[in-house]
Amino acid sequence: MSQENTSSSGLPAGVPAQGSSSLPAPYEPGAYEVAPHDYYPMSSSPDGDGTDWRRLSGVIWRKKWWILAAGLVGAAIGVVGTNFIEPVYETRATIWLDQPDARRGGGGPIRPDQVFGGQGWASVLRSRAVMRPVVEERRLYIRPIEPDTLDTRLFSSFNLGEGSLPGRYKLDVDPSGSFVLSRQGAGQVQRGRIGEMIGQAVGFVWQPETLPSGTLEFEIMPIAGTIANLTGALRTQFNPDASIITATLTWEQRRSAPLVLNSILEHFIRTAGDLKNEKLRQQIEILKEQTNYAEGRLRDAELALQNFQVATITEPNDPQGGDPFPAGVATPGRSASPTATVFGNYYAKRVQEDALQTDIRQLEGILSRWQAGDSIDILALRMIPAVNTAPHMTTLLNEYTTKQVELRTLLYTYTEAHPLVRVKREEIDVLMGQALPTAIGQLVGQLSAQMGLLQEQLAGDEADLQEIPYRSIEQTRLQRELGSATSIHGSLQSSLKQVELAEATNFPDIQILDSALPATESIATEASRIIIMATLAGLGLGLALVLLLNLLDKRIHYPEQITNRLGLPVLGIVPRLDAGRKRDTAEAQVAIESFRGIRTQLSHVGGHGRGITMITSPAPQDGKSMVAANLAISNATAGHRTVLVDTDTRRGRAQAMFQLHKSPGLTDYLLERASFEEVRQTTSVEGLTLIARGDSRGFNPDLLESQRMSDFLELLRKEFDVVVLDA
């Protein structure tokens, strides 16, 4: 705390000089300090139930430089940390997909988007089917400890065999041609001479012809982990408008980055071609199965018609006199008569009824077998004429065939556990377990409704025609089955020839538009992220430290803390006055007004304005003399007879503030060396009397608790309106 000073005129700062008012010497508050910006009239207090966010924000604002310094320290740590991070390089390439335009008819029977679609090809680009051969071909599972000094061509004949052990290895080669291979944590693995197979015991297939003398240190990483790292370093983005896939590789080695990405593209093109050829082969296989089944049904229909014609060759054709055509049917050179027309209509309806009954019976048989637990016979379903004339059924059957082809194509590359395979399996299961059975049931209902309507029409015609030409009806039914089987067989043969033609004239529909080029500069993404995170961490730690120190700070900063912690009322607030700084008139006026407020509050304590007020503090130089002097001045200027008594008999300096004498004073009166009138000194403030501390030589502090001291205070009460004791 600062020492109490006097004004430049030698008078106390609170004494009016030439018509102006000022304050006594400035002071440094200690345990109790309230700055103007520290005080906010809040309903909640720091020690109350709620959190005082405004005061917390004030604490943060006052300590903002601490927080900023912590952020700068964090940023510096981040910058230093980035020096230990390997530089990262980025290279990219683009792939073009020749996708068909639906407005132009698709462009062919099998297209790349029909295998996976644009986004699907982007997934294939990052699949293990592409990544694993790249890792093995470029030996990415080998990481030299010092890549700048190690010639990677030494590993051109290196391969991993069965039971290879990942880890860090060291190969020591001496000039004599012998070597020692050791593994970190396991010690020596092999000792031999150049020309022998190196590392067979740990799964290496490595037989270099020459090795330079010295030490080679390298690390063997797991294949699965290397594939995962490579997949994570590759980003793909598909642009459906331009049918372009952009592949971006982030790699630690600048020279090998474009080589790795171009190798990925080469294996991707190769895999895409294999997948397309596999899909064509799978579709050919499925179409051959369906064509062979249709061919068998066609032969059965031809044989059934032939056998029927042989068995009924001796029977008459119909009751119209041996006409080989059904009655009512017009033939070349003969028109149908009215009677024949009626018979012909009835005959055609009976043929249609028989066909509907056959189709319904077959559909119900397929549905009942599915309900019993069997799968739906797709081939048998395709051979039913009513199915081939129902658009919804045709769409579902074509969808089933497409999904089967896609599933077999996926299984060519992936296992059953792969997400794409599982999704395709689920789609087929939904199609076979829900969509097709529902569609079959709906088709049976439609055919049954048609047959019911047809039977009503036949019942009305039976009054005119009683005899039915059975032979003609049966022959027509067999001819109808033969025609349907012929049509289905021809359609399947046509589709089979188209796919076989596509396989024979296969051309690449996926091409590399832009190959990867060497990266010229490293990207700072990782370094920037680390610096930003370190800066934010520093700011967060600085903020946490400021709040923690504020929580642990037991000093009094707010008026409410006095009320809540000590249970004492706050009668007024004295603004902070820094020592050694010249104050302007506005600041002085604020301080004067604060003492006037304290004077008013004290005048109402106990219900009267007269009394003795003692000013004290926990420690020296807390500013109690300044408060006592200004409080006495405030009472005197208000017209009260006021006396200021300096009761600090050892260090009291009230006389210096008013440029008066130290003795005679209080000690002299208590030692009976001076009378009451002799110790009273008149100050320059009208109505204010000072009693200095006096001469401390020979003074016993116990006299402050003596009867003479009590009598002295009673005299002060009678003589003055206000008594201020500077303790």
Side-chain angles (χ1 to χ4, degrees):
M1 302 302 171
S2 66
Q3 297 291 337
E4 298 168 355
N5 302 322
T6 59
S7 64
S8 60
S9 64
L11 297 174
V15 176
Q18 298 179 356
S20 64
S21 297
S22 61
L23 285 173
Y27 78 111
E28 282 285 344
Y32 175 54
E33 55 183 40
V34 180
H37 60 274
D38 287 332
Y39 177 69
Y40 302 98
M42 304 292 291
S43 59
S44 60
S45 65
D47 300 321
D49 296 334
T51 301
D52 196 339
W53 296 108
R54 293 182 62 182
R55 287 208 177 98
L56 286 179
S57 63
V59 171
I60 294 172
W61 176 252
R62 291 197 303 274
K63 304 297 183 181
K64 57 183 177 295
W65 299 115
W66 290 25
I67 301 174
L68 181 59
L72 293 176
V73 171
I77 295 175
V79 171
V80 174
T82 55
N83 295 329
F84 299 95
I85 300 177
E86 296 292 336
V88 178
Y89 301 91
E90 190 176 87
T91 183
R92 60 172 48 90
T94 54
I95 304 169
W96 174 68
L97 303 179
D98 184 16
Q99 299 194 89
D101 189 347
R103 294 172 298 180
R104 294 181 295 165
I110 299 295
R111 308 292 290 182
D113 65 313
Q114 292 174 309
V115 180
F116 285 111
Q119 194 60 47
W121 282 121
S123 300
V124 173
L125 182 60
R126 303 177 72 249
S127 65
R128 289 177 62 90
V130 176
M131 295 299 176
R132 186 179 183 90
V134 173
V135 169
E136 294 177 346
E137 179 183 287
R138 302 207 60 84
R139 297 174 179 84
L140 300 180
Y141 47 80
I142 302 176
R143 185 173 67 182
I145 303 303
E146 297 181 0
D148 296 334
T149 59
L150 184 61
D151 189 357
T152 55
R153 290 177 297 179
L154 298 174
F155 297 97
S156 59
S157 61
F158 187 97
N159 290 291
L160 288 180
E162 295 292 334
S164 58
L165 298 178
R168 185 166 178 172
Y169 292 86
K170 182 172 68 172
L171 182 65
D172 295 314
V173 182
D174 57 29
S176 63
S178 60
F179 67 85
V180 176
L181 178 66
S182 57
R183 180 169 177 260
Q184 188 177 29
Q188 180 175 318
V189 174
Q190 182 184 358
R191 179 183 295 273
R193 297 190 62 81
I194 298 176
E196 299 178 2
M197 190 72 71
I198 300 177
Q200 280 185 307
V202 290
F204 295 173
V205 182
W206 188 23
Q207 192 174 9
E209 297 180 357
T210 59
L211 284 173
S213 59
T215 300
L216 302 178
E217 292 189 57
F218 57 94
E219 183 179 2
I220 300 298
M221 297 178 293
I223 293 290
T226 307
I227 294 175
N229 293 337
L230 181 59
T231 304
L234 180 66
R235 303 192 309 272
T236 58
Q237 184 178 5
F238 173 65
N239 184 355
D241 296 331
S243 298
I244 287 178
I245 297 176
T246 302
T248 304
L249 180 67
T250 304
W251 204 244
E252 295 180 355
Q253 301 176 11
R254 183 177 62 86
R255 289 181 297 179
S256 62
L259 301 178
V260 173
L261 182 54
N262 287 331
S263 180
I264 292 175
L265 297 183
E266 292 174 3
H267 284 279
F268 169 68
I269 296 297
R270 191 179 307 163
T271 302
D274 293 341
L275 288 173
K276 180 181 177 182
N277 292 332
E278 180 63 20
K279 181 168 184 177
L280 290 171
R281 288 192 295 268
Q282 293 296 335
Q283 190 161 6
I284 289 174
E285 182 179 344
I286 292 177
L287 287 175
K288 283 184 177 180
E289 293 177 2
Q290 296 178 356
T291 303
N292 293 335
Y293 186 85
E295 187 176 354
R297 290 289 300 271
L298 177 60
R299 287 196 299 268
D300 293 341
E302 291 175 345
L303 183 60
L305 179 60
Q306 182 180 359
N307 291 338
F308 177 78
Q309 291 175 343
V310 171
T312 59
I313 194 172
T314 59
E315 298 180 5
N317 289 329
D318 55 53
Q320 301 299 324
D323 191 347
F325 295 95
V329 179
T331 59
R334 178 177 66 85
S335 61
S337 64
T339 303
T341 301
V342 173
F343 183 82
N345 291 335
Y346 181 81
Y347 168 77
K349 292 176 182 178
R350 286 303 303 270
V351 172
Q352 186 178 0
E353 178 193 22
D354 183 72
L356 289 174
Q357 287 178 343
T358 302
D359 292 348
I360 291 173
R361 186 169 56 255
Q362 292 178 352
L363 289 172
E364 289 178 343
I366 293 174
L367 198 58
S368 63
R369 288 191 294 272
W370 172 78
Q371 293 172 347
D374 295 341
S375 60
I376 295 178
D377 191 347
I378 299 297
L379 296 177
L381 195 61
R382 278 191 175 276
M383 299 308 299
I384 299 176
V387 172
N388 291 279
T389 57
H392 183 56
M393 288 296 301
T394 304
T395 301
L396 289 177
L397 290 175
N398 292 337
E399 183 179 354
Y400 169 80
T401 301
T402 301
K403 291 186 182 301
Q404 278 288 352
V405 172
E406 292 175 352
L407 176 62
R408 295 187 184 185
T409 305
L410 288 172
L411 290 175
Y412 175 77
T413 306
Y414 305 112
T415 63
E416 288 284 353
H418 195 274
L420 292 177
V421 176
R422 291 202 303 268
V423 169
K424 195 61 64 177
R425 284 281 190 198
E426 292 174 359
E427 292 177 353
I428 294 176
D429 291 341
V430 170
L431 189 63
M432 294 290 289
Q434 299 179 14
L436 274 175
T438 302
I440 292 174
Q442 293 175 352
L443 183 58
V444 169
Q446 294 173 3
L447 296 179
S448 298
Q450 294 179 13
M451 189 174 68
L453 181 61
L454 190 60
Q455 288 176 345
E456 291 179 1
Q457 295 175 358
L458 288 173
D461 294 340
E462 285 183 353
D464 299 328
L465 300 173
Q466 297 294 330
E467 296 183 1
I468 302 174
Y470 170 77
R471 178 188 174 191
S472 298
I473 293 176
E474 182 66 16
Q475 181 175 346
T476 303
R477 183 184 67 80
L478 294 174
Q479 288 175 343
R480 173 180 172 275
E481 291 184 357
L482 177 61
S484 176
T486 303
S487 175
I488 294 174
H489 180 261
S491 176
L492 291 173
Q493 277 190 327
S494 177
S495 298
L496 178 60
K497 289 180 180 179
Q498 286 185 355
V499 178
E500 289 176 341
L501 179 61
E503 183 186 29
T505 60
N506 186 20
F507 58 91
D509 296 313
I510 300 178
Q511 298 180 9
I512 300 175
L513 192 61
D514 293 318
S515 299
L517 298 176
T520 56
E521 297 181 356
S522 62
I523 59 175
T525 305
E526 193 69 22
S528 301
R529 186 184 299 112
I530 291 176
I531 295 174
I532 293 173
M533 292 178 62
T535 304
L536 294 178
L539 292 174
L541 290 176
L543 177 61
L545 180 61
V546 166
L547 296 179
L548 179 61
L549 292 177
N550 179 72
L551 181 64
L552 298 177
D553 188 4
K554 300 303 181 183
R555 294 181 299 171
I556 301 297
H557 293 278
Y558 312 109
E560 290 87 346
Q561 290 178 294
I562 300 175
T563 303
N564 294 329
R565 294 182 182 180
L566 304 179
L568 301 175
V570 177
L571 301 181
I573 301 173
V574 178
R576 183 187 182 108
L577 302 173
D578 295 329
R581 184 176 65 85
K582 185 177 180 181
R583 294 178 296 277
D584 55 23
T585 304
E587 291 178 321
Q589 188 63 33
V590 170
I592 292 173
E593 290 297 328
S594 68
F595 285 106
R596 289 176 180 173
I598 296 174
R599 179 200 67 198
T600 303
Q601 293 289 341
L602 287 173
S603 66
H604 293 85
V605 173
H608 56 81
R610 300 172 61 88
I612 299 176
T613 302
M614 185 175 68
I615 308 298
T616 186
S617 69
Q621 299 182 358
D622 281 347
K624 55 184 175 293
S625 296
M626 184 274 294
V627 173
N630 279 274
L631 184 60
I633 293 172
S634 179
N635 279 278
T637 55
H640 302 294
R641 292 176 302 160
T642 306
V643 60
L644 174 63
V645 182
D646 190 352
T647 60
D648 187 354
T649 59
R650 291 185 300 169
R651 294 185 297 270
R653 300 180 65 252
Q655 76 284 348
M657 298 175 63
F658 291 91
Q659 294 186 350
L660 297 176
H661 303 289
K662 178 181 67 173
S663 182
L666 177 63
T667 59
D668 299 304
Y669 176 81
L670 295 177
L671 291 172
E672 300 181 2
R673 293 191 298 231
S675 64
F676 180 72
E677 295 296 332
E678 292 175 340
V679 298
R680 296 170 57 177
Q681 301 184 61
T682 303
T683 67
S684 59
V685 179
E686 184 178 357
L688 177 61
T689 300
L690 173 67
I691 298 178
R693 65 183 175 92
D695 190 357
S696 61
R697 289 177 296 178
F699 180 74
N700 186 358
D702 292 338
L703 292 176
L704 294 174
E705 300 179 5
S706 64
Q707 184 62 37
R708 187 171 176 80
M709 182 66 183
S710 300
D711 296 339
F712 176 71
L713 294 177
E714 287 298 324
L715 287 174
L716 295 177
R717 285 178 183 272
K718 296 176 182 180
E719 185 74 19
F720 299 97
D721 298 327
V722 177
V723 179
V724 179
L725 303 181
D726 179 8

